Amino acid sequence: MTLNEIVDFDMEQGHMVQALLEHCHNMKRQETRLRLATAFLIAAFLATLVWIQFHQQKTEGFSGARVEALTTDEGSPRRCSTYLKTDPSKNACSHKQSTEQLIRWSQMSYGLDHQRFNLTDSSVLHVFTKGFYVINLRISYRVARHKCQRTHKPILEVKVTQQHNNYKEERDVITAVESMPCILYWQQSVTLNRAVMLEDDTDLRVKINSDTCEYVNWYVNSDLEVTYF
């Protein structure tokens, strides 16, 4: 092994150790944030149920319809979810001059309730029923070789939008903006969580900024789950 090869090998090892340390710190920070977000969503959902129960006592006509919608004949919640994964075969990065790019999904065979949801054109999740929904989204990124310079920090922009006939234009449901260090083999996930009221026949889409498309890890840890309560 030549002297230059030894130097390059040592530098590569140093970069990998640095990336590992920063990755561990980043994962710990994301885990803390996710726990806080989950606790907030649970608290918000419980508060919503308390409000609904109070409102039911005040309005008898609304009470009967709402109880039927929230419970089965046995009195248990009618909760259902859809679970989607990113589809690598359909998410080729576009070279057009667009600032945003749609995420395309593959529906899991066990994860789509056709009475509540329908995935159309791989990128639009149609919600049939008005109600409360919890949205959980995760987009995973990875810095591969020759993707960027160490002095550059990509800005990761992720959003979930909704479109309805009552709206003049598409609206943001939840958004996130994070920076990512350009370190070889660095991995990072952007996670979004929110409880939201959706109208019937609402279309949901997930978008990212186009210039970070090449960093997305389409094969692992990129998924969307929407739960109806």
Side-chain angles (χ1 to χ4, degrees):
M1 181 179 291
T2 66
L3 179 61
N4 289 336
E5 290 176 339
I6 294 175
V7 172
D8 292 340
F9 178 77
D10 290 340
M11 292 181 62
E12 184 72 16
Q13 291 294 317
H15 290 163
M16 292 181 65
V17 171
Q18 181 182 2
L20 179 61
L21 292 175
E22 295 190 18
H23 176 64
C24 292
H25 177 73
N26 187 64
M27 292 298 294
K28 184 176 181 180
R29 176 175 60 84
Q30 291 188 16
E31 181 180 358
T32 300
R33 184 191 305 169
L34 181 59
R35 288 178 178 176
L36 291 174
T38 302
F40 175 78
L41 286 174
I42 293 175
F45 178 66
L46 292 177
T48 300
L49 290 182
V50 171
W51 179 86
I52 291 174
Q53 291 178 356
F54 175 79
H55 192 65
Q56 288 173 345
Q57 295 176 356
K58 296 297 183 179
T59 311
E60 293 182 359
F62 176 78
S63 175
R66 189 60 185 172
V67 169
E68 180 181 358
L70 288 177
T71 61
T72 62
D73 294 338
E74 292 77 15
S76 59
R78 276 186 180 173
R79 187 178 67 177
C80 59
S81 299
T82 179
Y83 181 68
L84 309 175
K85 298 284 291 184
T86 50
D87 190 336
S89 65
K90 299 178 180 178
N91 278 293
C93 295
S94 174
H95 296 289
K96 298 178 180 179
Q97 298 300 316
S98 175
T99 58
E100 294 182 335
Q101 179 154 333
L102 280 172
I103 300 294
R104 298 187 180 276
W105 308 94
S106 288
Q107 65 186 50
M108 310 306 291
S109 58
Y110 56 85
L112 193 63
D113 186 326
H114 293 283
Q115 294 182 346
R116 307 291 183 193
F117 309 100
N118 182 42
L119 182 63
T120 59
D121 195 28
S122 302
S123 61
V124 180
L125 182 63
H126 185 79
V127 176
F128 290 106
T129 307
K130 179 179 180 179
F132 286 99
Y133 293 82
V134 173
I135 299 174
N136 293 285
L137 172 67
R138 178 176 57 177
I139 302 296
S140 176
Y141 295 86
R142 181 177 184 273
V143 178
R145 186 179 295 273
H146 307 307
K147 286 297 183 182
C148 61
Q149 301 296 324
R150 291 179 57 83
T151 56
H152 175 59
K153 285 191 175 182
I155 301 300
L156 313 176
E157 299 179 12
V158 181
K159 66 172 64 175
V160 180
T161 67
Q162 62 172 321
Q163 190 170 28
H164 190 270
N165 291 334
N166 292 340
Y167 308 149
K168 293 182 178 180
E169 56 186 16
E170 200 170 15
R171 297 183 177 182
D172 291 347
V173 177
I174 182 171
T175 62
V177 179
E178 297 185 10
S179 63
M180 181 178 69
C182 192
I183 300 175
L184 186 62
Y185 306 129
W186 178 270
Q187 297 186 40
Q188 181 170 330
S189 294
V190 176
T191 304
L192 298 89
N193 313 90
R194 185 179 179 183
V196 62
M197 167 69 80
L198 297 177
E199 299 290 337
D200 53 350
D201 293 325
T202 293
D203 288 334
L204 297 177
R205 295 177 176 86
V206 177
K207 301 179 180 180
I208 62 172
N209 51 325
S210 298
D211 55 352
T212 59
C213 175
E214 60 181 349
Y215 301 115
V216 177
N217 193 343
W218 300 109
Y219 294 90
V220 296
N221 299 331
S222 295
D223 42 48
L224 172 66
E225 183 177 27
V226 180
T227 303
Y228 169 80
F229 287 91

